Amino acid sequence: MEKILAQFNIDAMVFGAIVASIVLAFVLVVVIFSVRYKGQYEKIADLRERLKEREEKILLLEESLREVQILNATQVQEIGQYQDLEERYKAEKAKVEEQLALAKERIDTQREKIADLEAKRAELEAHLHNTRDNLAKANEEIENVRKRNEFWVEQLSELRTKYEAIKSKLRKYEG
């Protein structure tokens, strides 16, 4: 090393000073850059930390999204089941309404039949009343005929008695 120094006529102290000033300049550059970029390093570290927090939030949101998708699928299935139930309800309601219409029609038919039967019953009651009146008149007439028959039976009996008396008188005279 001394040969190198001798060639350049540099003294060891001067060489030490040059090396020291180069080292000092290097340290100074490192310090300046570290001070200058320290804030940026802190910002980068802060950004990395926020990035980690956001990644955690994203993971939570993805998990929530999966849960929501599961719930959504469940709700879609429940909606499908509800729609099936609603369709069955509508079909049953239509059947019941049809049966109700038929029942109302039958009731109306039965009411018409009842009205017809009531009219026939009124006619039969009137006919029965007339028949009773006619029967009472016939019974009265029969009673009158019976009384006349009794009268005529009596008359006939008297005539027979007279006839027998006349006949026996004739026999007496003939005999």
Side-chain angles (χ1 to χ4, degrees), residues 110-123:
Q110 291 298 322
R111 284 184 181 155
E112 289 174 5
K113 287 180 181 179
I114 289 171
D116 290 344
L117 290 174
E118 287 290 329
K120 287 181 182 179
R121 185 179 62 97
E123 286 178 22

Side-chain angles (χ1 to χ4, degrees), residues 87-100:
E87 288 175 12
R88 279 190 247 146
Y89 167 76
K90 286 178 182 178
E92 288 296 321
K93 183 179 176 185
K95 285 180 185 177
V96 168
E97 287 176 351
E98 184 180 330
Q99 290 174 350
L100 182 62

Side-chain angles (χ1 to χ4, degrees), residues 12-30:
M13 278 182 63
V14 173
F15 179 72
I18 291 173
V19 170
S21 55
I22 290 174
V23 169
L24 184 61
F26 180 72
V27 168
L28 184 63
V29 168
V30 168

Side-chain angles (χ1 to χ4, degrees), residues 10-12 22 28 39 41 51 74 81 98 101 103 113 116-117 119 124 130 134 151 155 158 163-164:
I10 299 177
D11 191 14
I22 290 174
L28 184 63
Y41 285 129
L51 180 63
T74 304
Q81 290 172 347
E98 184 180 330
K113 287 180 181 179
D116 290 344
L117 290 174
L124 289 174
N130 289 339
N134 290 340
F151 171 76
Q155 292 295 321
E158 287 177 16
Y163 171 72
E164 288 296 324

Side-chain angles (χ1 to χ4, degrees), residues 67-80:
E67 290 175 3
V68 166
Q69 287 173 338
I70 291 170
L71 286 175
N72 189 22
T74 304
Q75 288 177 343
V76 166
Q77 186 179 12
E78 288 175 357
I79 288 171

Side-chain angles (χ1 to χ4, degrees), residues 19-93:
V19 170
S21 55
I22 290 174
V23 169
L24 184 61
F26 180 72
V27 168
L28 184 63
V29 168
V30 168
V31 168
I32 289 172
F33 278 112
S34 68
V35 168
R36 185 171 176 198
Y37 291 112
K38 182 180 179 183
Q40 289 180 355
Y41 285 129
E42 289 174 357
K43 285 181 183 178
I44 289 172
D46 185 43
L47 287 175
R48 283 182 182 157
E49 191 173 317
R50 281 202 255 160
L51 180 63
K52 285 180 185 177
E53 289 174 2
R54 287 193 178 166
E55 286 176 348
E56 289 174 2
K57 285 181 182 178
I58 287 172
L59 289 174
L60 288 173
L61 287 174
E62 286 175 350
E63 187 177 328
S64 295
L65 178 63
R66 281 190 290 272
E67 290 175 3
V68 166
Q69 287 173 338
I70 291 170
L71 286 175
N72 189 22
T74 304
Q75 288 177 343
V76 166
Q77 186 179 12
E78 288 175 357
I79 288 171
Q81 290 172 347
Y82 172 76
Q83 288 173 341
D84 289 344
L85 286 174
E86 187 176 17
E87 288 175 12
R88 279 190 247 146
Y89 167 76
K90 286 178 182 178
E92 288 296 321
K93 183 179 176 185

